Amino acid sequence: MNTPENSYMYQPPQPYYPQPDPEVIRFQNEKRQMKSTMNTIGTMILIATVVFFVFSMILSIVYYALVGTKTLQSSLDSIPLDILSGLANVAAIGICGLVFIKVGKNKVSDVLIFEKVSLKKLLAVVAIGFTVSMISNMMTNLYLTSTYNMGLDLNIDIDTPLCNSALEIIVYFLSTAIVPAFSEEILFRGAILGTLRKYGDTFAIFVSSLLFALFHANFVQIPFAFVVGLVLAWSVVYTGSMLPAILIHAANNGFSVLSDIIYSNIDSINMSETMADALSIIFVAFMAIICLIAVVKLSKKDKNFLKPAQYDGILDRKTRVNNLVTSPTIIAGTVLLLIESFINHSTV
């Protein structure tokens, strides 16, 4: 049968498939990727915590088993303990940071950044960071003193070696000030901060500082470590280099080591605690003046030097925070560190 050319042929309606919004797809992909990143960071914190605890326990058992034997019978027995402590720090923190960078498929140069920084800028940033750290530490000590006078001892006793020789002092300084400055910066200001910066510098600074504070497993030290973490992370973001953070960290720890040595050997150096306290206050006041000058100098050159760059990604703040607080491994790591903090204080 022939059909006229102008006749109408019925066509059934075609189903309508709406085209997905590219922005929605991008949002979901970014959200999924961030969840994976947060879980990886939480896993790394868990592993670092467990490794540090186990490694420290094993090394302590080995050390105390050898004390008094032919292997450790010299007057420099504190040196092996300091060396073992440094090794535990490197194994648990530094190596975990490097492994995380590798597992996360990040380029080392993108995470462990060391851009060239002018000497003046470097010294100014280090002065600011060191001063903030010392003032925060001083406020913590004042709080501990006040609570102790009220009958509440919140401090955790840490055996400070009586360093009677230059070699003991050098080894103690290296294991307590220098080694942690490198290993902890690799993990917190390198692996964690560097990985999270794609979700905003402010977010990365806050999260890396919070995890850094919790990792100290000390309720009294957590606020101090958080403030120090903030200034360390800021120094990396502002300068584009981890060098200022390493120097600030080493200077802060070094100042604490020097104070420990002075107060532990105060009788042998013919100095009263009042004089030591006065010298410490004078030094902090001097550094505060240097810090103020540095802030004025930097603010004249860059009015936004204390403000991290604005986040221009697709994930809103609520989504980023939600990914943080709902990450199973972040929750597990936080709980584990809080339990460790409680145990530390319950045994005081």
Side-chain angles (χ1 to χ4, degrees), residues 120-180:
K120 288 184 179 180
K121 188 174 184 178
L122 176 64
L123 293 176
V125 171
V126 170
I128 293 172
F130 182 42
T131 304
V132 172
S133 300
M134 286 194 301
I135 293 176
S136 179
N137 192 20
M138 182 175 290
M139 296 300 294
T140 301
N141 290 334
L142 287 175
Y143 171 72
L144 289 173
T145 301
S146 300
T147 54
Y148 181 80
N149 291 334
M150 291 186 293
L152 183 61
D153 188 2
L154 298 176
N155 202 6
I156 296 178
D157 292 330
I158 300 176
D159 293 332
T160 302
L162 295 174
C163 300
N164 299 315
S165 69
L167 182 59
E168 287 176 297
I169 293 175
I170 292 173
V171 174
Y172 180 47
F173 183 82
L174 289 174
S175 64
T176 309
I178 304 301
V179 170

Side-chain angles (χ1 to χ4, degrees), residues 187-200:
L187 176 59
F188 292 100
R189 257 64 61 180
I192 296 177
L193 176 69
T195 301
L196 291 176
R197 287 189 66 182
K198 58 188 173 185
Y199 304 114

Side-chain angles (χ1 to χ4, degrees), residues 152-293:
L152 183 61
D153 188 2
L154 298 176
N155 202 6
I156 296 178
D157 292 330
I158 300 176
D159 293 332
T160 302
L162 295 174
C163 300
N164 299 315
S165 69
L167 182 59
E168 287 176 297
I169 293 175
I170 292 173
V171 174
Y172 180 47
F173 183 82
L174 289 174
S175 64
T176 309
I178 304 301
V179 170
F182 280 93
S183 60
E184 291 178 14
E185 291 311 304
I186 288 175
L187 176 59
F188 292 100
R189 257 64 61 180
I192 296 177
L193 176 69
T195 301
L196 291 176
R197 287 189 66 182
K198 58 188 173 185
Y199 304 114
D201 285 344
T202 301
F203 179 80
I205 289 173
F206 176 83
V207 175
S208 62
S209 302
L210 180 61
L211 294 176
F212 175 68
L214 291 172
F215 200 81
H216 284 73
N218 182 334
F219 285 129
V220 175
Q221 200 175 9
I222 283 175
F224 159 70
F226 178 69
V227 173
V228 174
L230 289 175
V231 74
L232 290 172
W234 163 79
S235 71
V236 175
V237 171
Y238 176 62
T239 63
S241 173
M242 289 177 56
L243 180 59
I246 292 172
L247 294 177
I248 294 169
H249 201 148
N252 177 65
N253 287 8
F255 184 75
S256 297
V257 167
L258 180 61
S259 299
D260 288 343
I261 293 175
I262 290 175
Y263 283 102
S264 298
N265 301 273
I266 202 162
D267 293 331
S268 60
I269 60 178
N270 296 321
M271 180 185 291
S272 65
E273 289 191 8
T274 302
M275 182 180 296
D277 291 340
L279 290 175
S280 178
I281 292 173
I282 292 172
F283 180 69
V284 172
F286 172 76
M287 287 304 303
I289 296 173
I290 300 298
C291 175
L292 182 60
I293 294 173

Side-chain angles (χ1 to χ4, degrees), residues 48-80:
T49 302
V50 173
V51 170
F52 185 75
F53 176 78
V54 172
F55 206 95
S56 298
M57 288 295 294
I58 293 175
L59 293 178
S60 297
I61 292 172
V62 171
Y63 170 77
Y64 287 111
L66 295 176
V67 169
T69 66
K70 293 182 179 180
T71 308
L72 288 177
Q73 60 181 354
S74 70
S75 59
L76 304 179
D77 283 350
S78 64
I79 291 180

Side-chain angles (χ1 to χ4, degrees), residues 305-322:
F305 84 102
L306 289 177
K307 297 180 181 179
Q310 294 294 320
Y311 172 63
D312 57 358
I314 195 171
L315 297 180
D316 57 87
R317 182 184 301 175
K318 182 179 179 181
T319 300
R320 286 175 285 157
V321 172
N322 184 65

